[in-house]
Amino acid sequence: MYKYKIEKTHKEIMRSSSFYARYQTRHQAKGKAKAGVMPLRIAHRRSAAPKTKDRRIRTTTTRREARREAAAAAGRCSSSGLPRSGSSTPMGSSPNRSSSSSSSSSVSPPPSPSDRQGRLTTTQLEQLRVEQEVYGIYRLFHGVAPHTRSFTLELWRDKHIEFLTRGLKQLGPNYHVLDANRPWLCYWIIHSITLMGESVNSELEDNVVQFLSHCEDKNGGYGGGPGQMPHLATTYAAVNTLITLGGEMSLSSIHRENMLKFLLQMKDSSGAFRMHNGGEIDVRACYTAISVASILNVLDDELVTDLGNYILSCQTYEGGIAGEPGSEAHGGYTFCGLATMILINEADKLDLPSLVDWVASRQGVECGFQGRVNKLVDGCYSFWQGGVLALAQRLLPIVHKQLESSFISGVQASAECKKSCNFTAEETGQDENLCRAGTSHPENEGEELSDFGFSFIGRHTECGPLFHSIALQQYILLCSQVLEGGFRDKPGKQRDFYHSCYCLSGLSVSQYSWSKDDGGPPLTSAVLGPYTNLLEPVHPLYNVVLHKYYKSHEFFSTL
Amino acid sequence: MPSSDDEVDRVPLSARPEWSDVRPVPQDDGPNPVAPIAYRDDFRETMDYFRAVYLADERSRRALDLTTEAIGMNPGNYTVWHFRRVVLESLNADLHEERDFLDRMTMRNAKNYQIWHHRRWLAEKLGPEVANKELEFSKNILDLDAKNYHAWSHRQWVLQSLGGWENELGYCCMLLEDDIFNNSAWNQRYFVITRSPLLGGLQAMRDSEVGYTTEAILANPLNESPWRYLRGLYKGDTSQLISDNRVSELCLKVLKTSNSCQFALSLLLDLLCYGFQPSEELRAVVEALRNSEQDTVSSKLATTVCLILEITDPMRSNYWAWRRNNLPSQVC
């Protein structure tokens, strides 16, 4: 049943790209579709509009109108430029930075339909360029023989492992721009390797533990390299790396008491966190601090004070979460913000229906995710945005409850909300905890703060993913995967470790998105390409491989 | 890549007389470093000397110059930036000079956290007198990339901390005229109308903003930005959202003319979920969008809207199906 549904929607997606529509309109005679690639026209005709109306619209499509339509369509769906470009970000940075400068010097007519026809804006032009590139790849893919097609959808594990392992051993001189991100390099690479079910040998493991201890500050926290100031983002990367390695020596190398002291030093009076002594305050800092505290079982009330209100103040009118109050909703920060709220058990403070709606809308015609509205697709958002939806999947009872209570009909609303919440729980067979989960406050008093990350993963998901998991896998495998190993933002960009890590993490999240319980093997239909593409599942709150998380949880919960 | 092309004539620190008294401190990577970087000689040497002055806490002019060199090679090294601030404060250095240095750095590394954080620190020290200069500078960056996240954050910080709100709405209008799809400009517009001390806040601005936004939507119904902005204009006031006829009429108008617009349907769905009572005309227009092949007849308009979206917006078919199954119980 699921299988059928997935395959069906997958095909539909392939037919219904807006670019393909334009391609058809411009270059192909009516009904002259190649085998295996059905023109959009058909998908449209099967869709909402009655045939007559549809035909009318289609046949009056002049070249000019088509261009306008294209222009309008180009405006939606896109991404890029996450906090990827600085150093030390949970999103890291690429040494092969490309400047996305674009001149916008043309004359500015007012935004009225008549004046706008002839000119495409910067956003539209950039979007069109990417769509052309991506659809070129998809057209090729659909044009090849079936056996070649399955090869194309293969995850080239050996190549990736080779690329990653080489990086762990030696990096070229141009990597000096990542000299303050070395724990990140460890995390991106080792997490990627572990996702593919491989591990580093014990000698290398020892070396990593030893090296990271050189990055650890004597007063707690980890810096971007030996002798550098401790920094929250690199602390997160170092801790996640050590948990991913998972050995006793590795786990016990972290000085938890000093860590708590460091985290408390980074706590700001606003309730948020600073990246480092005198550093910037933002949602990344909050997430990395809380993730580390939670996974090491040192999360306490002092760390949590006023934090929920800060994150809440970063949720924007669009629904997503910004880096700081007033800024634009953004995929990376939305992940950080939501994960933080779940870890401190205050997710229900957020406007979850609008958050989910915003994130779900970020998956575009290219099949991947964009980071913000009207920006370009980027493979790394496969995790940031896909991860948000994986988290949201476990919050759906709360989302439903919020939807129900926002219905305006006087006093009935709140009674109705309670009724429906109970109803949902009964109907779906979920236990009461699920309904309550995310509501902080009295009923959770027995639960330790650090437990929320653990109990969250155990929640059952009664609903499939709120994104198109097959389409996302397609973007990752066909557009982000690099033949020589590694992953990239989008076609035309260079591969790097950051994108390799987050494309693989996103791939894992989408493969398991139909699984009902944590880490259970997904149906073959949920995995695009050969089943051997299947990766290890992750804990979506921390982004560490799940069985490594369990092991560390066992280790730290007894301390 | 910020490589050392402008360091061609660089004299090694070891050959500079003013550094002869300093013993460089090599990086302690341990015996078996992981992900080691094959540093170029000039990079390695600069960092070795940096470590020496950093560990000695030497707050001198030469230490300041050294941080300039180190930052030029790797502007992502937050430790160097931090130490630079310490030195600048100790030396009581000319911060206008620092501003010039930072301008040059930012033009080359416009997406670097450290640079923008330093800029905020600097602007805070210099105070309101630099407000306009800072706004002008962020405009220069936005001229190159109108969606630079850091530049927008900085701009918002300047407005809130140092002032300069006078022309901000005009600036947003200009950017939107240039590119109506620029969501960062829409976000800034929202920032201005909700926070500018000169405009009277969201409620006072709502009327004219709804007009502006409606026009933008009608010009490009497939532009998501103004649709989200329109919802934002009623944030925290859903009763206004469902009672303001302009909103539902906009949905009606778009749905009448543009086959099936996902954003119009989505907004309509939200309206219904908040308790909006649709007119017969709106109901009829939506029903007309239904696929005749769909035999399930639903009494709820919201269900119909979801069903249409499930088909016309296949990327989100699961999401719309979830919405359909989770409509508030009293929905129309």
Side-chain angles (χ1 to χ4, degrees):
Chain A
M1 158 70 192
Y2 277 138
K3 183 179 177 182
Y4 168 73
K5 199 172 172 187
I6 291 171
E7 283 176 353
K8 186 166 164 263
T9 33
H10 178 213
K11 280 178 195 150
E12 270 166 12
I13 297 253
M14 294 314 300
R15 286 171 202 149
S16 62
S17 73
S18 70
F19 176 76
Y20 198 71
R22 290 193 290 283
Y23 181 78
Q24 290 289 326
T25 315
R26 287 181 194 172
H27 303 291
Q28 270 184 297
K30 279 176 195 170
K32 217 175 157 188
K34 285 175 196 154
V37 199
M38 208 179 279
L40 175 72
R41 201 177 304 252
I42 292 171
H44 259 226
R45 208 169 276 161
R46 283 173 44 227
S47 68
K51 278 181 184 177
T52 48
K53 193 176 174 187
D54 183 41
R55 187 168 297 133
R56 180 175 57 79
I57 287 169
R58 286 287 145 192
T59 49
T60 54
T61 300
T62 62
R63 183 174 281 264
R64 195 175 187 194
E65 280 170 349
R67 193 170 61 217
R68 204 172 81 198
E69 199 177 283
R76 62 165 312 274
C77 313
S78 22
S79 109
S80 120
L82 196 125
R84 240 183 323 116
S85 46
S87 84
S88 322
T89 108
M91 303 76 187
S93 115
S94 145
N96 302 305
R97 199 174 300 153
S98 70
S99 75
S100 62
S101 61
S102 49
S103 86
S104 49
S105 54
S106 42
V107 194
S108 315
S112 80
S114 52
D115 294 348
R116 190 142 287 283
Q117 280 182 24
R119 187 181 72 97
L120 293 178
T121 73
T122 305
T123 299
Q124 291 173 304
L125 285 169
E126 289 179 350
Q127 174 64 20
L128 269 179
R129 243 174 257 142
V130 172
E131 282 187 22
Q132 282 174 16
E133 190 109 33
V134 167
Y135 281 105
I137 291 173
Y138 292 164
R139 265 200 312 278
L140 271 178
F141 170 69
H142 278 266
V144 301
H147 66 277
T148 320
R149 205 180 290 176
S150 72
F151 173 76
T152 320
L153 286 171
E154 210 174 299
L155 180 70
W156 301 309
R157 286 168 182 270
D158 294 348
K159 291 285 182 195
H160 299 315
I161 296 283
E162 194 189 317
F163 166 66
L164 295 161
T165 315
R166 217 176 336 146
L168 217 43
K169 288 188 182 132
Q170 185 65 57
L171 296 168
N174 288 342
Y175 276 87
H176 70 265
V177 293
L178 290 179
D179 190 45
N181 288 283
R182 292 180 67 194
W184 273 119
L185 288 162
C186 293
Y187 169 67
W188 296 330
I189 294 173
I190 292 170
H191 178 55
S192 297
I193 290 173
T194 313
L195 275 168
M196 288 187 281
E198 304 281 332
S199 55
V200 297
N201 64 42
S202 62
E203 189 193 336
L204 194 50
E205 178 170 341
D206 290 352
N207 291 347
V208 176
V209 175
Q210 204 174 58
F211 171 69
L212 289 175
S213 71
H214 277 78
C215 299
E216 190 177 18
D217 191 85
K218 63 179 192 306
N219 296 316
Y222 294 77
Q228 298 180 24
M229 293 166 70
H231 189 288
L232 277 175
T234 47
T235 296
Y236 167 87
V239 166
N240 274 5
T241 304
L242 292 164
I243 284 169
T244 302
L245 292 172
E248 170 116 20
M249 186 183 87
S250 176
L251 298 178
S252 57
S253 74
I254 306 167
H255 295 91
R256 293 161 67 246
E257 280 175 24
N258 284 349
M259 179 67 82
L260 179 58
K261 281 183 206 153
F262 168 62
L263 296 178
L264 285 169
Q265 279 165 20
M266 296 305 111
K267 178 92 177 170
D268 182 71
S269 57
S270 64
F273 287 82
R274 313 187 161 268
M275 274 298 181
H276 57 88
N277 183 15
E280 65 273 22
I281 294 173
D282 62 26
V283 172
R284 288 172 316 148
C286 298
Y287 167 66
T288 48
I290 294 302
S291 173
V292 164
S294 168
I295 209 163
L296 296 179
N297 193 24
V298 296
L299 188 57
D300 66 11
D301 289 333
E302 203 178 340
L303 287 171
V304 170
T305 309
D306 292 333
L307 178 57
N309 288 332
Y310 176 79
I311 303 281
L312 186 58
S313 72
C314 296
Q315 183 170 25
T316 88
Y317 71 90
E318 294 187 74
I321 297 172
E324 50 188 321
S327 291
E328 186 181 358
H330 186 291
Y333 296 117
T334 302
F335 174 84
C336 292
L338 179 63
T340 304
M341 290 300 250
I342 293 170
L343 288 170
I344 65 172
N345 200 30
E346 294 183 31
D348 62 333
K349 280 190 176 172
L350 292 166
D351 178 351
L352 291 173
S354 75
L355 188 146
V356 169
D357 185 82
W358 178 83
V359 181
S361 305
R362 304 282 60 77
Q363 191 171 18
V365 290
E366 313 85 345
C367 297
F369 279 99
Q370 61 185 183
R372 306 183 238 162
V373 171
N374 286 336
K375 289 268 283 160
L376 302 173
V377 65
D378 179 341
C380 74
Y381 295 113
S382 305
F383 179 76
W384 301 121
Q385 305 281 31
V388 169
L389 290 172
L391 297 175
Q393 215 174 333
R394 292 178 170 84
L395 296 172
L396 289 179
I398 307 171
V399 188
H400 174 82
K401 191 175 157 189
Q402 288 188 357
L403 272 171
E404 190 75 48
S405 62
S406 59
F407 188 92
I408 301 168
S409 63
V411 273
Q412 283 176 324
S414 66
E416 196 60 42
C417 156
K418 277 183 195 150
K419 202 179 91 197
S420 111
C421 185
N422 291 335
F423 174 70
T424 315
E426 282 162 30
E427 186 190 47
T428 56
Q430 291 155 342
D431 63 72
E432 223 194 334
N433 277 330
L434 192 55
C435 202
R436 233 173 36 198
T439 56
S440 43
H441 334 314
E443 59 267 51
N444 296 109
E445 257 171 18
E447 217 169 338
E448 291 284 328
L449 267 170
S450 284
D451 290 344
F452 293 115
F454 181 73
S455 56
F456 183 77
I457 194 68
R459 286 190 206 175
H460 296 288
T461 51
E462 290 301 324
C463 179
L466 300 182
F467 63 104
H468 202 300
S469 65
I470 292 292
L472 181 60
Q473 292 175 57
Q474 176 175 298
Y475 180 80
I476 297 169
L477 292 169
L478 294 181
C479 297
S480 281
Q481 185 169 226
V482 175
L483 190 61
E484 295 77 24
F487 292 79
R488 60 189 175 189
D489 159 350
K490 61 172 74 61
K493 298 268 184 175
Q494 299 284 317
R495 63 179 174 175
D496 59 55
F497 298 116
Y498 164 80
H499 282 93
S500 300
C501 169
Y502 289 104
C503 285
L504 284 168
S505 303
L507 187 61
S508 168
V509 164
S510 31
Q511 287 172 340
Y512 289 88
S513 60
W514 289 92
S515 303
K516 298 265 175 215
D517 48 337
D518 57 313
L523 295 170
T524 51
S525 55
V527 178
L528 183 66
Y531 198 69
T532 50
N533 279 2
L534 186 65
L535 299 172
E536 294 291 324
V538 295
H539 190 313
L541 285 169
Y542 310 106
N543 198 18
V544 292
V545 165
L546 194 57
H547 69 94
K548 300 288 188 178
Y549 165 75
Y550 281 133
K551 198 171 169 191
S552 75
H553 182 261
E554 205 175 305
F555 183 87
F556 292 119
S557 60
T558 57
L559 293 180
Chain B
M1 189 132 328
S3 71
S4 45
D5 47 339
D6 49 356
E7 313 274 344
V8 182
D9 299 325
R10 179 181 179 277
V11 178
L13 288 154
S14 58
R16 298 183 210 174
E18 72 268 29
W19 286 102
S20 57
D21 62 315
V22 173
R23 179 186 292 247
V25 178
Q27 178 162 281
D28 179 16
D29 258 10
N32 302 298
V34 183
I37 299 166
Y39 303 118
R40 289 191 187 91
D41 290 343
D42 56 348
F43 183 87
R44 184 192 304 276
E45 191 197 39
T46 306
M47 293 313 294
D48 289 352
Y49 276 83
F50 170 75
R51 269 181 287 273
V53 296
Y54 177 61
L55 288 170
D57 197 18
E58 182 190 310
R59 306 177 186 190
S60 63
R61 183 71 217 184
R62 69 175 182 183
L64 184 65
D65 293 342
L66 186 62
T67 61
T68 307
E69 287 191 44
I71 285 167
M73 293 178 181
N74 177 16
N77 193 317
Y78 57 90
T79 308
V80 178
W81 280 107
H82 176 76
F83 185 61
R84 185 179 177 88
R85 285 187 284 275
V86 170
V87 175
L88 284 167
E89 278 179 338
S90 292
L91 294 181
N92 223 345
D94 177 3
L95 295 181
H96 291 281
E97 213 173 275
E98 182 68 1
R99 226 182 137 262
D100 294 339
F101 161 71
L102 204 53
D103 283 0
R104 291 194 301 276
M105 287 303 297
T106 317
M107 293 310 272
R108 275 162 41 184
N109 306 275
K111 291 184 176 178
N112 168 301
Y113 276 97
Q114 286 69 38
I115 287 179
W116 288 101
H117 179 57
H118 192 72
R119 187 159 202 107
R120 208 180 276 198
W121 172 84
L122 191 61
E124 190 163 32
K125 295 235 167 227
L126 292 168
E129 62 172 275
V130 293
N132 287 328
K133 281 184 184 169
E134 287 300 307
L135 292 177
E136 185 61 28
F137 180 79
S138 64
K139 181 184 171 296
N140 292 341
I141 298 291
L142 293 170
D143 283 345
L144 301 173
D145 173 8
K147 298 173 184 177
N148 181 313
Y149 204 85
H150 300 279
W152 280 116
S153 294
H154 183 69
R155 195 173 177 91
Q156 294 190 344
W157 178 84
V158 170
L159 290 167
Q160 285 186 310
S161 309
L162 308 177
W165 291 96
E166 297 76 16
N167 303 319
E168 199 57 15
L169 191 57
Y171 181 57
C172 295
C173 285
M174 190 189 85
L175 284 179
L176 289 173
E177 270 178 29
D178 189 49
D179 185 350
I180 195 72
F181 294 89
N182 181 350
N183 195 61
S184 303
W186 282 101
N187 186 74
Q188 184 71 355
R189 190 178 182 98
Y190 194 82
F191 178 80
V192 175
I193 62 143
T194 52
R195 302 189 194 215
S196 168
L198 312 174
L199 293 177
L202 181 56
Q203 295 217 351
M205 294 298 290
R206 187 181 285 150
D207 226 38
S208 56
E209 286 302 290
V210 170
Y212 179 88
T213 311
T214 305
E215 205 177 304
I217 288 174
L218 291 173
N220 283 291
L222 295 180
N223 180 5
E224 183 174 352
S225 296
W227 287 103
R228 296 223 170 254
Y229 188 82
L230 183 64
R231 276 189 185 81
L233 293 175
Y234 298 90
K235 198 175 178 216
D237 197 354
T238 43
S239 60
Q240 268 296 315
L241 177 66
I242 58 175
S243 60
D244 192 332
N245 288 336
R246 288 177 298 177
V247 178
S248 54
E249 274 163 19
L250 175 68
C251 291
L252 178 66
K253 204 166 176 178
V254 170
L255 290 172
K256 267 176 160 173
T257 53
S258 78
N259 204 355
S260 67
C261 171
Q262 172 202 335
F263 304 123
L265 288 168
S266 164
L267 178 55
L268 175 60
L269 177 61
D270 283 356
L271 293 179
L272 293 168
C273 287
Y274 293 140
F276 170 70
Q277 307 284 327
S279 67
E280 280 311 310
E281 190 189 7
L282 188 54
R283 211 177 263 279
V285 168
V286 174
E287 289 295 338
L289 292 173
R290 265 168 58 98
N291 191 330
S292 49
E293 290 165 36
Q294 281 177 261
D295 47 7
T296 43
V297 179
S298 169
S299 56
K300 286 186 176 182
L301 185 63
T303 306
T304 308
V305 171
C306 290
L307 287 168
I308 295 168
L309 282 165
E310 280 169 56
I311 290 163
T312 57
D313 186 20
M315 195 63 76
R316 270 158 286 284
S317 56
N318 291 340
Y319 171 64
W320 298 122
W322 182 82
R323 288 290 301 268
R324 177 164 51 80
N325 292 321
N326 286 273
L327 293 170
S329 39
Q330 293 167 293
V331 83
C332 281

